Amino acid sequence: MLVLLLVAVLVPTACVLWFMAQAMRNERLVVRQKLIEAYRVHLSAACDGVGTYWQDKLRALSDVEPQSTPAEGFAGLVRAGVADSVVLYDQAGRIAYPSDQHPRGPRRQVHPKPWLRAWELEHAMGDTSGAAAAYGEIADRYAGMAPAAEALRARARCLTRLGRTDEAVELLAELLANQSYRNARDADGRLIVLDAQMMMLDLMGDAAHPMYDQTLARLADRLSDYSDAAIPIGQRRFLMSRLRRIAPKGPRFPTLEAHDLAERYLEITPSPPLPGPARTLLDGVWQLPSANRHVVALLTESRIADELGARIANRSGLTGAHVVVLPPGSEADVREAFLAVPAGGQLPDWQLALYLDGPDPFAAAASRQITVYLWTAIVVVGIIALLALLVARYVGRQMRLTRLKNDLIATVSHELKTPLSAMRILVDTLVEGRYRDSGQVREYLSLIARENARLSRLIDNFLTFSRMERDKRAFEMSDLAPGDIVEAAADAVRERFASPGCRLSVELSGDLPTITGDRDALVTMLVNLLDNAWKYTGQTKDVHLRARAVDGHVRFEVSDNGLGLSRRAIKRVFDRFYQVDRSLSRTAGGCGLGLSIVRFIVTAHGGSIDVQSQPGEGSTFAVTLPAAGRVERP
Ligand code: ADP
């Protein structure tokens, strides 16, 4: 039965849970699939952006002012952020910028004769002050011409070495102030004024000097001026990087890295490449030649990725996710992406990867759905369990009733048979006239009366029992004197105790309060107890029936000197059809209902019953009922 119920609960429960698990999995897959489809549309739109990206770049390259010099074109494109670096070629395919060709302008300087002497004094003879004076003379003699500029710079150098720094600074300032020295070059082709400015900054040492900032700004301005074709590329790059070192927060030179990149590129790619974006031999650098191959833009992969990413972000209008452009070799990032697609033909091996912002929306949607499913599962399982419980109770009740019916039929037929057959024998004897005298007739008649009384009691018990079973508490309550009930019960059994060796003593205390109850039921209760006392004692029966007032209650006690009860039996004597010893009950007459009826009546009257007994030492059954006015209905 229990197994059946368990199966009835467990099988549907397992089915419901399995169904829910499947539904949850499907839900997850569906949400994911929907998201993937939606995002795929976005990504393919983003791929179109890759093509326009290169077109825009090409347009920017062709926008280089036709009249501008290659140097200006270089700086313009780099500063405009079109590329990380640019290489420009002339019509013949030769490098126009940045090339190492000698800058245009006055030819290399030939030193006048006095220069040699001054140089010897400075370097060979160690006569620094003599050299300084000699350089001063040269400067005076060639004033306004290139040798003078170089001589002034050399004199400043000697003065510095002599510790006359202030004089040296003044001298350099004088040199810079003279416009005729603007494009004067030294023997290596470098512009002397630029070196002089750098030297001045070194001598002044720090920004505290009144001329420092101005000198720094002028030098930076001239270095940044790519229309000034006089500055050799090498000198420009050298001074830019020096300025950046001594004044990290000072002027910015975005073209410096562009020079470095172009130099590295030209080392391995001397001639102009074919049109179309392509990887260069430099790691992580791409080239984009203009249609006429006169301009080649160099772009690092990080720039391409950033610019494309920004462009896609602007166009896609994506919410809850963002797209990242991944160059080749970013497999780890691709794996982490929610969705990745190839970026398209113009960027082979590149990927457009889509990442979800914040918590995974499909996980959130799925978890919402899971909660719904979970609650549904809990409710369904709960309903199944409840139904199973109700069915179990109903079936249990039916089984109990069936058992009870069977027991009752067996008991009733047995119990009725004994007194009826006894009476029939006696009546037959009397009818047939098989008696000695009128005394024997009386004896037989009294026996018949006793069996009759026994039958009545039995039937009373059965009626009470059936009332109990139907749970009909059809008691007629009224105020009663406990003594009256005791007397009525004693009268009912007196005849039984009339035989020799039997004694029934009745003890009533005088102060008994009235009780409220059904008279017949209470008499039945005491008669049952007295009957048991008679039945379950030996030859000598000493039974006491007492009633006394205890704390606003009336306590009825029936004690005997009989067989007594074990501890285990005491616990069960009030159960229906329970009999300690069936064979004994058979001879004594009984069906195991008496005490259950007693307990039913006591409980219906708001009282309690307890047993004191030990095997072989008799028993005392005590019933406590509340006095009238204190009735506590159960
Ligand atoms: P029965 O009709 O068999 O007497 P009861 O419900 O009245 O049924 O009693 C249940 C069992 O309790 C009896 O079979 C008997 O073994 C035991 N019992 C009841 N009263 C006493 C008693 N006074 N002394 C010993 N045993 C008793």
Side-chain angles (χ1 to χ4, degrees), residues 470-484:
R470 278 178 284 133
D471 207 18
K472 269 201 181 164
R473 293 171 191 178
F475 292 111
E476 285 176 17
M477 296 297 192
S478 58
D479 282 352
L480 306 166
D484 185 23

Side-chain angles (χ1 to χ4, degrees), residues 20 28 42 57 92 103 143 209 332 345 435 444 477 488 497 540 551 593:
M20 291 302 171
R28 233 183 264 252
H42 276 290
K57 284 275 173 218
H209 198 285
Y435 53 87
Y444 282 4
M477 296 297 192
F497 281 89
T540 316
D551 197 15
L593 284 177

Side-chain angles (χ1 to χ4, degrees), residues 317-394:
L318 211 59
T319 48
H322 65 276
V323 176
V324 175
V325 183
L326 296 174
S330 320
E331 282 75 17
D333 295 330
V334 171
R335 268 197 301 278
E336 276 175 22
F338 178 71
L339 182 65
V341 298
Q346 289 193 299
L347 280 177
D349 302 335
W350 286 60
Q351 299 268 338
L352 297 188
L354 184 133
Y355 295 89
L356 298 174
D357 296 336
D360 191 343
F362 106 86
S367 88
R368 265 200 305 279
Q369 206 58 38
I370 285 168
T371 316
V372 171
Y373 284 144
L374 215 65
W375 275 111
T376 313
I378 289 171
V379 169
V380 170
V381 170
I383 288 172
I384 291 172
L386 200 77
L387 283 176
L389 204 77
L390 288 177
V391 168
R393 276 186 61 172
Y394 177 75

Side-chain angles (χ1 to χ4, degrees), residues 528-529 532-533 535-536 560 562-565 573 575 578-581 584-585 589-596 619 621:
N528 271 336
L529 292 177
N532 281 353
K535 282 194 289 187
Y536 304 112
D560 60 51
L563 307 174
L565 289 158
V573 281
D575 292 351
Y578 175 77
Q579 293 178 312
V580 175
D581 183 349
L584 188 67
S585 306
C591 55
L593 284 177
L595 286 181
S596 68
S619 323
F621 286 77

Side-chain angles (χ1 to χ4, degrees), residues 185-203:
R185 294 173 189 281
D186 63 12
D188 297 318
R190 288 197 298 263
L191 290 187
I192 293 164
V193 282
L194 297 185
D195 280 355
Q197 272 167 320
M198 193 67 239
M199 195 171 158
M200 244 181 105
L201 289 173
D202 288 342
L203 291 176

